[in-house]
Amino acid sequence: MTSTQGTGRPDRLSVEEHTANGIRVVTLGGEIDHEVTDALRGIVLPADGQDPPRTVLDLSAVTFMDSSGINVLVSAHQAADDANGWLRVAGAQGPVLRVIQLVGLDAVIACRPTVEQALDS
């Protein structure tokens, strides 16, 4: 599934979802900033009543992420943890990886180089 709805500017953030081994994989592309955080929050936060959410966020096609994106990831991690699930980040590169490392998010959320490694860990 591919979706860009709710992002205000459809060229800013793309979303694709699929399931692998019972784990939800959400592939994001483009830019994550304050203009897309509401849409992003709706995508990554677990739905009420959902089985323990297990989600891998593939950020390999994300070219920019600011602190508002970090805040959404922290909220999604906390919500998944509260529901006895987990959130993992995969494929962050360049400036996105640098932001994740600078704020210490990689010490809170498991970050792996590839989706396959995130699914296996």
Side-chain angles (χ1 to χ4, degrees), residues 55-96:
T55 303
V56 172
L57 290 181
D58 178 3
L59 302 183
S60 60
V62 173
T63 57
F64 175 83
M65 181 167 61
D66 68 8
S67 61
S68 58
I70 295 293
N71 290 335
V72 172
L73 296 184
V74 169
S75 295
H77 165 71
Q78 290 172 333
D81 192 52
D82 289 348
N84 297 314
W86 48 258
L87 173 72
R88 296 180 184 149
V89 171
Q93 300 178 34
V96 174

Side-chain angles (χ1 to χ4, degrees), residues 1 9 13 31 48 52 69 75 83 85 95 99 105 107 111:
M1 176 179 99
R9 287 182 42 202
L13 182 68
E31 299 178 357
D48 289 337
S75 295
V99 167
L105 188 65
C111 295

Side-chain angles (χ1 to χ4, degrees), residues 16-57:
E16 294 181 18
E17 296 182 51
H18 71 276
T19 302
N21 303 325
I23 298 169
R24 182 174 173 232
V25 178
V26 179
T27 302
L28 301 174
E31 299 178 357
I32 299 174
D33 62 16
H34 70 281
E35 290 184 19
V36 301
T37 54
D38 287 340
L40 181 61
R41 192 172 286 109
I43 293 162
V44 300
L45 287 174
D48 289 337
Q50 178 181 352
D51 289 335
R54 299 180 301 156
T55 303
V56 172
L57 290 181

